[in-house]
Amino acid sequence: MQKFYSFLARHQLKFLSLCCLLMLFNVVDLLFPLPTQKDYSTIIEAENGYILSAFLTHDDKWRMYTQLDEITPTVQKAFIHKEDKWFYWHFGVNPIAIVRALYNNTIAQRRTSGASTITMQVARMLEPKERNILSKIKEIARALQLEWNYSKDEILQLYLNLVPYGSNIEGVKSASYLYFGKLPNQLSLAEVTTLTIIPNRPTSLQLGKKNIAIQEVRNRCLLKFKKNKVFSETEIDDALEEPLTAYRRTPPKIAAHFCIRLKKQFQSIPIIPTYINYNMQLDVEEMVNNYSKILQFKDIKNAAVFIVDNQNHQVISYVGSPDFTSVSTQGQVDGVKAIRSPGSTLKPLIYGLAFDKGIYTPRSIITDVPIDFDGYTPENYDEHFHGKVAMADALAQSLNIPAVKVLNDIELNTLINTLDKIDFKQIEKDKDKLGLSTALGGCGVSLEELVGMYSIFANNGTFEAPKMTALTKSNQAIEILSPQANYMVAQILTTLRRSDLPNRAESVINLPKIAWKTGTSYGRRDAWSIGFNNKYTVGVWCGNFDGKGVPELNGADIATPLLLQIFNLIAKNNDKDWFKRPKDLQFRKVCAESGDIPNEHCTDLIFAYYIPGKSANKKCTHLKKVWVSMDSTIAYCSSCVGNNNYIEKWYPNYAPELIAFYESKNLPYQKTPEHNTNCVKIKESNYPIITKPVNGLTYYIHSTNQKLMLSAQAANDVEQLAWYVDNKFIRSAPKNETIFIDASLGKIKISCVDDKGRNTDAWIIVKQI
């Protein structure tokens, strides 16, 4: 210990000097930081590391970032032995090389050799300056600073990222990809050697233009490698035989819309990894392009496809338009992000929410007849009404009126809040403006949002936003539907007895096992088809970016054939692993006439799904008991049965709107006998209901020549209705007949009196636009 202290005492001044020098170096390092933050070209990579697209830097350079794992031993050895054999031994400056260069240049009276190490070259490329003695001194200082702050491998990486290759190409990765179509870790020894010789003469040795001269220089360099035993003789001999076929390539534009989107989102990141399946993306792009060429004969110019892997919620294919470069078809518009009307595509979620609330089950009966929701009168796509239908059939056939009824029953806010949860942005913006027409496409959505929604059905009722890159945080899964309700919807969407099966035979010959739903927007501007199996959710949109409607445009015949082609491509023979029925989803017997629990009078029974503890346990009331006269021509109630002879009979318990529908269409149905005309009570109830115009609404007309429509629903025993406007008699008409009157401006009283003397009034306001 005494010797140690004695040593410190003798060398104290040296230690202090060294410490001061180190402190000074750190201060200078902090005051004059290295400008190593270069602007690199943004590269978007597929899942397998292949480049999907690349973008120029702000100064219009191809400067692609080479990662450490792309610097193979071949690349490392070739560049070090070509440029700086003592790279891993010196401290950034090679004094021996400097002395040798000074001697040789002095003797020759010109520059015959250089002394710049790889580290010094990096310093010069980071801060380009005119070559003189002062610049060289600064270069040496920066080289020392680089060695102080970075490892040797990191300095080599900087060199390979910045080394010039002529024109606007910088860096080994840029040259490798743009001249050889390969990444650095895929290059042969001959190709690597070629890239080592260009930086010293990037102008005179232009790849693609002077390949013969370059090959001669390359071979001389390979022979030097052979002489110095840098590589094996076999490797060198093979490299010498390899022809040089380099030429300037155009960077790819695969998944162009997707790549531009990520470039804008991650502007400062040089390499953006994605989950895109490279081969699938190429296949789907080609499929969309070819299919679009067929659609153009029908004046349908655009299409988009979005595919999500259901197992991990990753976006694996993204096609924003058939041809990104097409100006005539507005190819640069991104059809995946574009806000469009969804048509009927929201219906499955509406039905699922209704199942979860216990309001309906798949076999519940709902009426598909004309109806008025405060002035909103939806119609079916086929312009027909279907009377009584089961919920499952209503969804499979995509009937509009039942969907609007279901939305009305679950309440509009239930749907809007659910869509808000799963990040439907336009819905959230417009939620105060939306109405029941949302069920039929009266809102704005994107293909990306719809595919995310349909992935709920493939994931047991839970939602997780589609992920495009590992750079974004994973969102927490949200339960949107119970597994039971979710399964019931998914099963309905697999049925082949449906209205949206394509008419073209070739589309259904090799039909894969999927669940899907189509949609067609008002005016035939958008055709949708979105499907899923256990592995993928695929969304297809077809239409025109300019919003032009086309008579032939519909989801079944335009979008679905492409959907089925894609599934046959990516998931052929994937029928084995289908969705399993949840344990808590049970079967029970129900009455086929109502879908409710049968009573003793129900004879037509079927098995149907239900959710224990949720689904309603309502007893079937599809029949009602009626007291009728002995000849079954007069019906009685407790107020008028008196001493009349009567019998009990059971009659169908039709809803009033269903009876009105049967009557208006002259359809046969089992009628209840007319009520006793002498009954006092009947005169006190069953008032006519004015359905049009709607009480309390304001109606806008273009001119006073425009007509107002009058219609009403009346009891079974009513035959004639009398109409009055502002207490003035207009005319009498059969109860199911619609009449029209001249419109007058201002507040109007509409009165309807049935032939039993019962009266109903409605007040409206008429204004001229």
Side-chain angles (χ1 to χ4, degrees):
M1 185 63 71
Q2 187 175 358
K3 289 182 179 180
F4 176 72
Y5 287 127
S6 175
F7 177 81
L8 285 179
R10 289 197 308 272
H11 299 281
Q12 184 177 9
L13 183 59
K14 293 180 181 178
F15 278 119
L16 286 173
S17 299
L18 180 61
C19 289
C20 289
L21 184 63
L22 291 174
M23 289 177 64
L24 177 63
F25 197 86
N26 275 319
V27 169
V28 172
D29 186 44
L30 291 172
L31 291 175
F32 302 97
L34 287 162
T36 55
Q37 298 301 316
K38 299 293 288 185
D39 180 23
Y40 289 101
S41 299
T42 300
I43 297 172
I44 317 294
E45 289 185 345
E47 184 185 27
N48 60 0
Y50 286 15
I51 294 176
L52 294 172
S53 192
F55 300 87
L56 288 165
T57 61
H58 290 98
D59 56 350
D60 292 329
K61 300 281 189 181
W62 287 115
R63 189 185 298 122
M64 299 182 186
Y65 185 77
T66 307
Q67 300 180 97
L68 284 171
D69 60 4
E70 292 177 314
I71 304 173
T72 62
T74 301
V75 172
Q76 183 189 45
K77 285 197 293 183
F79 273 92
I80 287 175
H81 281 270
K82 172 69 173 61
E83 290 295 323
D84 186 0
K85 287 187 291 186
W86 304 103
F87 173 69
Y88 281 103
W89 298 93
H90 60 65
F91 51 88
V93 178
N94 188 339
I96 297 174
I98 291 176
V99 171
R100 184 184 66 243
L102 282 172
Y103 176 79
N104 291 336
N105 295 342
T106 301
I107 295 298
Q109 295 295 306
R110 60 186 178 86
R111 188 176 184 275
T112 59
S113 64
S116 293
T117 63
I118 284 177
T119 312
M120 292 170 67
Q121 290 182 59
V122 171
R124 184 168 62 248
M125 288 185 288
L126 287 173
E127 293 180 301
K129 291 182 175 65
E130 184 181 348
R131 292 196 175 191
N132 53 47
I133 294 177
L134 180 61
S135 296
K136 183 61 71 174
I137 293 171
K138 289 180 180 179
E139 189 178 300
I140 291 171
R142 284 299 199 187
L144 296 174
Q145 195 176 0
L146 279 166
E147 295 281 346
W148 180 262
N149 286 280
Y150 295 94
S151 69
K152 286 290 187 179
D153 287 343
E154 289 172 331
I155 294 171
L156 179 61
Q157 182 187 21
L158 272 170
Y159 172 79
L160 295 176
N161 279 329
L162 301 175
V163 65
Y165 282 93
S167 185
N168 65 338
I169 299 176
E170 293 183 5
V172 167
K173 190 168 186 174
S174 301
S176 170
Y177 198 77
L178 294 175
Y179 285 121
F180 294 109
K182 301 177 182 179
L183 296 174
N185 53 6
Q186 299 169 330
L187 294 172
S188 67
L189 175 58
E191 291 165 338
V192 170
T193 306
T194 301
L195 294 183
T196 65
I197 64 176
I198 303 299
N200 293 330
R201 299 165 59 188
T203 304
S204 59
L205 296 178
Q206 294 183 44
L207 277 168
K209 294 183 178 180
K210 300 183 179 180
N211 282 0
I212 295 175
I214 294 172
Q215 186 167 340
E216 291 176 359
V217 178
R218 180 203 73 181
N219 289 348
R220 288 200 298 270
C221 187
L222 283 168
L223 291 173
K224 286 183 181 179
F225 286 161
K226 187 175 184 179
K227 180 180 178 182
N228 296 324
K229 297 182 179 180
V230 179
F231 300 99
S232 70
E233 288 191 11
T234 303
E235 289 177 300
I236 298 292
D237 291 342
D238 289 342
L240 287 168
E241 294 296 322
E242 187 175 314
L244 179 59
T245 58
Y247 63 91
R248 180 68 180 265
R249 290 166 168 81
T250 302
K253 285 188 178 180
I254 303 167
H257 301 87
F258 174 77
C259 293
I260 290 172
R261 181 173 173 178
L262 291 183
K263 168 74 166 65
K264 291 178 179 177
Q265 187 176 354
F266 303 99
Q267 295 187 15
S268 61
I269 296 178
I271 297 177
I272 301 174
T274 74
Y275 305 113
I276 293 292
N277 183 311
Y278 187 84
N279 292 326
M280 182 188 294
Q281 178 69 26
L282 292 177
D283 289 340
V284 173
E285 282 192 8
E286 183 180 7
M287 192 174 286
V288 172
N289 186 271
N290 291 338
Y291 188 73
S292 181
K293 289 175 182 176
I294 298 171
L295 293 185
Q296 287 187 19
F297 289 106
K298 299 180 180 180
D299 205 20
I300 302 168
K301 300 175 182 177
N302 304 110
V305 173
F306 189 70
I307 305 178
V308 170
D309 187 321
N310 294 327
Q311 312 300 317
N312 46 37
H313 311 283
Q314 295 170 354
V315 177
I316 57 174
S317 186
Y318 187 120
V319 181
S321 71
D323 182 2
F324 180 80
T325 62
S326 173
V327 176
S328 61
T329 61
Q330 299 172 291
Q332 294 190 14
V333 175
D334 188 348
V336 172
K337 288 174 57 181
I339 301 299
R340 316 287 297 194
S341 165
S344 298
T345 55
L346 297 180
K347 289 177 182 176
L349 181 60
I350 295 170
Y351 280 70
L353 294 170
F355 294 158
D356 250 344
K357 282 181 172 287
I359 303 173
Y360 296 103
T361 68
R363 299 315 306 174
S364 296
I365 299 298
I366 193 167
T367 56
D368 177 31
V369 297
I371 192 167
D372 190 311
F373 294 97
D374 294 332
Y376 175 52
T377 55
E379 294 182 352
N380 287 321
Y381 180 79
D382 62 5
E383 299 181 350
H384 292 90
F385 302 100
H386 304 82
K388 292 170 59 177
V389 290
M391 288 282 287
D393 295 332
L395 177 55
Q397 300 302 322
S398 195
L399 301 179
N400 289 343
I401 293 170
V404 176
K405 283 186 173 182
V406 175
L407 179 57
N408 186 59
D409 290 339
I410 67 171
E411 297 183 356
L412 177 62
N413 281 338
T414 299
L415 175 64
I416 291 175
N417 292 337
T418 302
L419 295 175
D420 193 17
K421 277 184 187 177
I422 59 178
D423 206 24
F424 274 55
K425 293 181 174 60
Q426 195 63 38
I427 295 284
E428 198 279 331
K429 289 179 183 177
D430 297 339
K431 59 185 176 182
D432 294 331
K433 307 174 187 175
L434 300 177
L436 292 177
S437 62
T438 303
L440 310 182
C443 57
V445 304
S446 69
L447 178 60
E448 178 183 349
E449 291 168 345
L450 283 177
V451 170
M453 186 193 91
Y454 274 76
S455 71
I456 293 170
F457 303 121
N459 283 281
N460 219 25
T462 60
F463 170 78
E464 192 171 325
K467 294 181 291 189
M468 299 188 182
T469 170
L471 300 177
T472 55
K473 293 181 180 179
S474 296
N475 295 313
Q476 189 173 2
I478 307 169
E479 183 176 290
I480 301 300
L481 297 173
S482 70
Q484 297 80 18
N486 185 78
Y487 180 81
M488 290 191 285
V489 172
Q491 288 302 102
I492 294 170
L493 296 182
T494 62
T495 183
L496 296 180
R497 294 182 58 191
R498 56 198 298 159
S499 61
D500 56 0
L501 200 64
N503 289 323
R504 290 164 53 190
E506 62 269 24
S507 298
V508 296
I509 290 174
N510 297 311
L511 191 67
K513 184 168 184 181
I514 60 170
W516 86 94
K517 180 74 184 73
T518 63
T520 307
S521 68
Y522 179 77
R524 296 179 181 262
R525 295 180 175 89
D526 306 278
W528 305 87
S529 192
I530 305 170
F532 60 91
N533 59 14
N534 64 313
K535 194 166 184 182
Y536 304 111
T537 299
V538 179
V540 172
W541 170 86
C542 298
N544 292 306
F545 288 143
D546 60 9
K548 180 181 179 181
V550 179
E552 293 87 354
L553 188 67
N554 64 77
D557 295 322
I558 299 300
T560 299
L562 179 56
L563 177 83
L564 300 181
Q565 285 181 36
I566 292 171
F567 265 110
N568 274 323
L569 170 72
I570 67 176
K572 196 169 185 178
N573 302 321
N574 194 38
D575 299 351
K576 295 180 181 178
D577 300 323
W578 195 248
F579 306 104
K580 302 293 188 294
R581 176 168 65 91
K583 292 180 180 179
D584 293 334
L585 181 62
Q586 301 295 326
F587 284 103
R588 68 181 178 188
K589 284 184 178 180
V590 297
C591 176
E593 295 292 331
S594 65
D596 295 329
I597 296 174
N599 58 39
E600 64 274 19
H601 302 287
C602 297
T603 56
D604 187 5
L605 305 183
I606 57 173
F607 281 98
Y609 287 123
Y610 80 106
I611 307 174
K614 278 189 179 179
S615 299
N617 292 316
K618 186 174 68 172
K619 281 279 188 181
C620 177
T621 58
H622 85 280
L623 294 175
K624 62 180 179 179
K625 183 171 66 175
V626 182
W627 294 328
V628 297
S629 61
M630 301 301 290
D631 59 0
S632 300
T633 58
I634 301 174
Y636 302 111
C637 65
S638 57
S639 299
C640 66
V641 66
N643 296 322
N644 294 311
N645 292 325
Y646 68 92
I647 56 175
E648 290 183 353
K649 291 187 71 172
W650 291 87
Y651 289 87
N653 188 22
Y654 295 128
E657 68 269 18
L658 188 59
I659 294 172
F661 169 69
Y662 288 151
E663 291 285 347
S664 66
K665 299 296 181 182
N666 294 317
L667 296 174
Y669 69 99
Q670 188 178 359
K671 299 181 181 180
T672 303
E674 291 189 14
H675 201 85
N676 181 12
T677 56
N678 296 320
C679 179
V680 177
K681 186 176 181 180
I682 197 64
K683 296 180 179 179
E684 299 172 357
S685 59
N686 288 341
Y687 287 87
I689 300 171
I690 298 175
T691 56
K692 289 185 180 178
V694 178
N695 185 41
L697 291 187
T698 299
Y699 288 82
Y700 293 89
I701 60 176
H702 293 282
S703 70
T704 53
N705 293 327
Q706 196 168 332
K707 303 284 187 179
L708 276 179
M709 183 171 69
L710 307 182
S711 65
Q713 292 180 359
N716 291 347
D717 57 348
V718 173
E719 294 184 359
Q720 291 285 319
L721 296 175
W723 290 94
Y724 296 80
V725 176
D726 290 334
N727 299 321
K728 292 182 180 179
F729 176 74
I730 301 299
R731 58 171 287 195
S732 292
K735 65 176 180 181
N736 294 316
E737 182 179 321
T738 298
I739 70 170
F740 294 87
I741 63 169
D742 292 326
S744 58
L745 302 179
K747 191 172 185 180
I748 300 173
K749 177 185 176 183
I750 308 289
S751 302
C752 180
V753 183
D754 65 18
D755 53 18
K756 309 301 179 187
R758 294 168 295 207
N759 175 71
T760 300
D761 296 328
W763 292 88
I764 64 169
I765 297 175
V766 179
K767 293 183 178 180
Q768 188 169 356
I769 298 175

